[in-house]
């Protein structure tokens, strides 16, 4: 990766460590240290990294002393390491996340004023602890498109992973676009030959079109004609189904004919009269009289 440091820039120890990490990383990209962005270049951004697929703005933070432990980033509150306030080498007024977001916005605005479409710009806060000090987790998501990661010259794995995957867009940043962006950001500009040698494209590559072979692979083949055995089986099933339908129709017709041949029975009438009960007659009863 190409690293360009602005003339007269005064880099801190953490920023020098960050530069060492970038220079040891064999990937296509250019890092602009101490970029002047915003109104009349009033805002200083620690680093702006351009790759063929996108841009990210980086805030580099070192430490005043050897702090190790678990990194905690509460929303809107101070960052802590193992429940102790993180003592950065530079004082930051307000929330560090808001500071990073303002840097991203300043880079985007500066490029748009130069009539350069920046697309989506990411942001990353890079914490550079003293060598031999472990701060975990090594990477945390702050907001959509913004991360914080821990890296130094001896342990730059998370930084490399981030630079490989922070932008998944097409290779739209050619050597000429990168050179124009460097001019707009007021940074040391690499030459076009340096950018081409580093791996930037001279012209934007066209979107790949499907080849004839790929199209053939997606064509649905026509169904094969049925075999003789399949044809015979199909006709047999059809004949059995047709025969079953005929049998059912014959049974239904026979039932209807049998029911219509039998005469309807007339309801039976009777002339018998139900006898009426005999009239009631009181019986006089005496003591010890039977049937009383």
């Amino acid at each position: 990766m190409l690293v360009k440091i602005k003339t007269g820039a005064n880099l801190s120890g953490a920023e020098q460590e960050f530069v060492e990490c970038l220079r040891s990383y064999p990937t296509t990209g250019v890092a602009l240290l101490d970029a002047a962005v915003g109104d009349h270049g009033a805002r200083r951004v620690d680093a702006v990294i351009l790759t063929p697929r996108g841009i990210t703005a980086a805030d580099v933070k070192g430490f005043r002393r050897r702090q190790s432990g678990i990194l905690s980033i509460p929303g809107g509150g101070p960052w802590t390491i193992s429940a102790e306030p993180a003592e950065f080498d530079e004082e930051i007024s307000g929330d560090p996340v808001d500071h990073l977001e303002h840097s991203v916005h300043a880079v985007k605005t500066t490029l748009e004023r130069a009539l350069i479409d920046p697309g989506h710009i990411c942001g990353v806060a890079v914490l550079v602890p003293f060598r031999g000090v472990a701060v975990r987790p090594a990477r945390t998501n702050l907001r959509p498109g913004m991360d914080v990661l821990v890296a130094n010259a001896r342990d730059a794995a998370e930084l490399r992973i981030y630079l490989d995957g922070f932008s998944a867009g097409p290779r739209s940043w050619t050597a000429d676009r990168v050179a124009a962006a460097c001019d707009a950001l007021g940074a040391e500009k690499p030459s076009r030959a340096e950018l081409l040698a580093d791996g930037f494209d001279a012209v934007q590559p066209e979107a790949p079109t499907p080849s004839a072979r790929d199209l053939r692979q997606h064509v649905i083949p026509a169904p094969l004609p049925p075999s003789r055995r399949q044809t015979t089986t199909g006709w047999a099933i059809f004949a059995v189904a047709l025969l079953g339908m005929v049998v059912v129709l014959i049974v239904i017709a026979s039932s209807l004919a049998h029911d219509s041949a039998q005469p309807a029975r007339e309801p039976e009438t009777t002339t018998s009269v139900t006898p009426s009960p005999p009239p009631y007659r009181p019986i006089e009863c005496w003591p010890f009289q039977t049937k009383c």
Side-chain angles (χ1 to χ4, degrees), residues 7-290:
T7 304
N10 185 17
L11 301 184
S12 64
E15 291 171 341
Q16 294 176 5
E17 185 96 0
F18 181 64
V19 168
E20 187 176 346
C21 294
L22 295 176
R23 283 177 173 168
S24 63
Y25 185 37
T27 187
T28 301
V30 56
L32 308 176
L33 273 294
D34 197 34
V37 297
D39 295 333
H40 307 290
R43 188 175 188 86
R44 176 183 178 273
V45 179
D46 294 338
V48 179
I49 302 175
L50 299 94
T51 69
R53 299 183 184 276
I55 302 177
T56 183
D59 278 352
V60 182
K61 296 177 174 60
F63 291 84
R64 294 181 180 179
R65 61 184 180 89
R66 300 175 66 88
Q67 282 188 283
S68 62
I70 304 299
L71 174 67
S72 177
I73 305 176
W79 296 8
T80 61
I81 297 177
S82 294
E84 294 183 0
E87 298 184 17
F88 298 125
D89 55 358
E90 293 182 3
E91 292 291 340
I92 299 177
S93 59
D95 188 359
V97 181
D98 293 336
H99 186 272
L100 175 61
E101 194 170 40
H102 293 160
S103 297
V104 172
H105 179 72
V107 172
K108 183 179 181 67
T109 303
T110 301
L111 293 177
E112 288 176 344
R113 288 177 178 176
L115 303 181
I116 300 174
D117 181 12
H120 177 69
I121 299 180
C122 298
V124 59
V126 183
L127 307 185
V128 184
F130 285 84
R131 296 188 182 186
V133 174
V135 177
R136 293 293 181 267
R139 183 176 178 183
T140 304
N141 181 259
L142 299 174
R143 296 174 185 172
M146 294 189 182
D147 298 85
V148 56
L149 57 89
V150 180
N152 54 30
R154 293 186 179 180
D155 186 10
E158 287 298 329
L159 176 60
R160 295 183 179 185
I161 294 173
Y162 174 81
L163 294 177
D164 283 338
F166 79 88
S167 179
R171 292 177 61 94
S172 59
W173 285 93
T174 61
D176 294 331
R177 288 193 68 198
V178 171
C182 292
D183 283 335
L185 296 173
E188 187 74 20
K189 182 178 69 172
S191 65
R192 190 173 189 274
E194 287 180 305
L195 294 172
L196 294 175
D198 192 57
F200 284 95
D201 299 317
V203 295
Q204 184 174 349
E206 297 180 358
T209 56
S211 60
R213 180 179 179 181
D214 296 334
L215 294 176
R216 287 196 301 268
Q217 291 178 352
H218 289 82
V219 174
I220 301 176
L224 298 175
S227 62
R228 183 176 181 181
R229 181 178 179 181
Q230 293 174 338
T231 304
T232 304
T233 303
W235 279 110
I237 294 174
F238 175 75
V240 171
L242 183 61
L243 180 61
M245 292 178 61
V246 172
V247 171
V248 172
L249 292 176
I250 292 174
V251 171
I252 295 174
S254 177
S255 300
L256 294 176
H258 180 71
D259 292 341
S260 61
Q262 294 182 355
R265 295 183 180 181
E266 297 181 358
E268 296 181 358
T269 59
T270 178
T271 58
S272 61
V273 179
T274 303
S276 60
Y280 173 74
R281 293 179 180 179
I283 302 174
E284 296 181 359
C285 297
W286 293 274
F288 304 104
Q289 183 179 355
T290 60

